[in-house]
DNA sequence: CTAAACTTTGCAATGGCATTGCACTCCTTA
DNA sequence: TAAGGAGTGCAATGCCATTGCAAAGTTTAG
């Protein structure tokens, strides 16, 4: 288990510090997107800015992607191993308005529409709000 | 011109105060989504909280919809006259990363994907980032 | 092995934006 | 004409993201 986590870091050339291992493990265990505050709450004695910088490092090295779900706080979720956060890697995110949890719907790829003339797309953030399967 | 604006308000049963007429006119003239700060800057001597409450009233009466474009500030844009801000009224928004302007792509309706079992959609926010036609 | 150089962490600000309390003004109505 | 209600301005407040700085930990050259 710890090996899997360390490998994920090594794969992206990120040095495995204690904090990084913990945060990465957390993100792997929860299969959903977490906010900075949610992550902080899961640890008790870790500083928020350290977690913030951990996530920033992760993000810069394609270990996580950030999700703007309109909840006021940015959510972070694990990237796939081959993710480079390109337009092709973007996928739909779902925010349940009941349990307030945000999920990556990686099996539901984003279909980029035909844009008006002269518009070019680099990144897509497709967020669907509704009721999730456990809250139905 | 002023008639058109007043009619828009009457259509939604919103009393036409001076501020409301001004804000609505502003939103009609710019054909794009504006943030609270952008609107405030366009007026000089209007209070931000008044504009905020004006937009809130507009939003509650389907005169404007709010757009989360990840820029840090919520953007507001005019609704169509028959809009009730339902899932069917949701449309794609485009943020140009060069000029920082956000546009409603009302001609580019959102295709709601098939969600996993048990997930139900109520609202969609589909944001595309890229370069707009005037910045190309 | 040891000291300098670099990285990571913790703590305490800072800054931006949304939102609200309160008093004042303005408008409507009995 | 006075009372009630709606709209406005100003000044807070709160939340979240982000950063400066110094301490602690790690790596590397000598
Ligand atoms: Mn995701
Ligand atoms: Mn729009
Ligand atoms: Zn749920
Ligand atoms: Zn542009």
């Amino acid at each position: 288990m710890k090996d899997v986590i360390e490998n994920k870091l090594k794969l992206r050339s990120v040095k495995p510090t204690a904090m990084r291992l913990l945060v990465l493990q957390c993100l792997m265990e929860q299969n959903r997107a977490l906010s900075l505050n949610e992550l902080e709450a899961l640890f008790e004695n870790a500083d928020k800015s350290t977690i913030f910088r951990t996530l920033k490092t992760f993000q810069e090295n394609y270990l996580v992607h950030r999700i703007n779900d309109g909840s006021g706080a940015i959510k972070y979720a694990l990237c796939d191993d081959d993710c480079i956060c390109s337009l092709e890697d973007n996928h739909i995110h779902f925010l349940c308005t009941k349990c307030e949890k945000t999920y990556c719907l990686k099996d539901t790829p984003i279909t980029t529409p035909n844009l008006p003339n002269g518009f070019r797309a680099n990144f897509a953030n497709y967020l669907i709000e509704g009721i999730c399967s456990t809250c139905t």
Side-chain angles (χ1 to χ4, degrees), chain A:
Chain A
M1 167 51 101
K2 177 150 281 182
D3 283 353
V4 181
I5 302 174
E6 287 189 352
N7 272 334
K8 253 190 173 345
L9 288 173
K10 190 174 296 176
L11 188 65
R12 301 295 195 166
S13 313
V14 174
K15 273 193 274 188
T17 70
M19 198 71 245
R20 288 172 183 168
L21 290 170
L22 282 173
V23 170
L24 191 50
Q25 179 172 26
C26 239
L27 287 171
M28 289 179 71
E29 285 173 353
Q30 321 278 328
N31 68 329
R32 60 187 185 96
L34 295 171
S35 70
L36 190 52
N37 279 331
E38 285 172 321
L39 278 167
E40 190 193 18
L42 288 175
F43 289 126
E44 266 320 303
N45 53 358
D47 185 71
K48 196 193 294 228
S49 58
T50 301
I51 305 178
F52 172 77
R53 283 185 271 231
T54 298
L55 291 168
K56 191 174 182 186
T57 301
F58 282 2
Q59 183 200 321
E60 286 163 356
N61 292 280
Y62 305 124
L63 275 161
V64 304
H65 54 281
R66 40 167 49 202
I67 301 151
N68 188 328
D69 66 358
S71 67
I74 292 168
K75 302 278 177 70
Y76 300 86
L78 266 193
C79 288
D80 285 339
D81 282 344
D82 60 348
C83 177
I84 54 169
C85 290
S86 68
L87 195 53
E88 290 75 38
D89 291 310
N90 293 161
H91 48 265
I92 293 185
H93 293 101
F94 186 94
L95 167 66
C96 175
T97 48
K98 202 163 183 179
C99 64
E100 287 285 315
K101 287 178 183 159
T102 297
Y103 299 95
C104 295
L105 303 187
K106 290 193 177 154
D107 303 327
T108 313
I110 291 184
T111 60
T112 313
N114 290 327
L115 296 176
N117 253 342
F119 284 70
R120 196 160 43 81
N122 291 329
F123 170 81
N125 186 34
Y126 190 166
L127 188 277
I128 295 182
E129 273 182 30
I131 304 294
C132 79
S133 58
T134 64
C135 286
T136 300

